[in-house]
Amino acid sequence: MEIIKFEEINSTNTYAKENIEKYDDKTIVIANHQTAGRGRFKRTWTDLGSENIYMSIILKPSNEFSFIYANLTQYLSLTLCKIFEDMDLKPEIRWPNDILINKKKVVGILCETVMRGNNFKGLVLGTGINLNAPEHAISKIDRPATALNIELGHDIDKTEILEKLLERFFDKYDDFIKVGFPLIRKAYLNRTTIIGKDVKVSILDKIVEGKAEEIDVSGNLILRLKNGERKVINMGELV
Ligand code: BTN
């Protein structure tokens, strides 16, 4: 596995997308600093210093897109939860893939599909992990956020977390690509807290309200709306 390291870059996802043809499947792009880190829904991802993780994994599982790939963000979020649990933390997955600790976001995941014309070139699975952030920087983020050092009260070894992350991610990756979300559904559900609750989901510019009934075998969120309708949601964000 090749690891491409940058001291500073605009965004590891942007770099990986632009240069995907140059690299093999399972290449890792990592930077100490990002000047234009990107999140879902055109948000920015804040650089909290070099002791945090800004990483993108280039994946080329096949020559054609498969719907299973859309669940890789959920697979990665589960992998990270297990690492945090080994550190005696109690992470929670906020559908589809944010990780929260004490209701504050500690991990963001952004997966992008790379096409050239009609040809599928691969995926760029990016993650930002707040490992060691000064409290004053965290408090400037416009939504509730935290970092592992704040939750645990001590510094976190970035190299150790990175090693564990790559080892665990690739350990079951080939199985995941064959089986998809059913492989992890039970473990994923164990780390979510919304089932049975009334929730609001922002989908593009609309807000949908309902009771979270289940997360189905494809990783979709199933809502029961007030009018009794069952709604399958495959993208969006809990608000
Ligand atoms: C989100 O929560 O909206 C997703 C955030 C993803 C941030 C990571 S940091 C590494 C990679 N490069 C980026 O520009 N974004 C992802």
Side-chain angles (χ1 to χ4, degrees), residues 38 47-48 55 70 87 124 160 184 188 209 231 233:
R38 296 186 288 109
D47 185 315
L48 294 168
M55 181 188 87
M87 299 165 84
V124 172
E160 198 183 313
I184 60 161
Y188 178 93
E209 285 185 55
K231 192 160 176 72
I233 301 179

Side-chain angles (χ1 to χ4, degrees), residues 165-180:
L165 166 52
L166 296 178
E167 188 190 314
R168 285 208 165 190
F169 181 84
F170 285 115
D171 184 38
K172 296 268 182 312
Y173 170 79
D174 291 335
D175 293 342
F176 186 79
I177 289 300
K178 282 188 208 119
V179 179

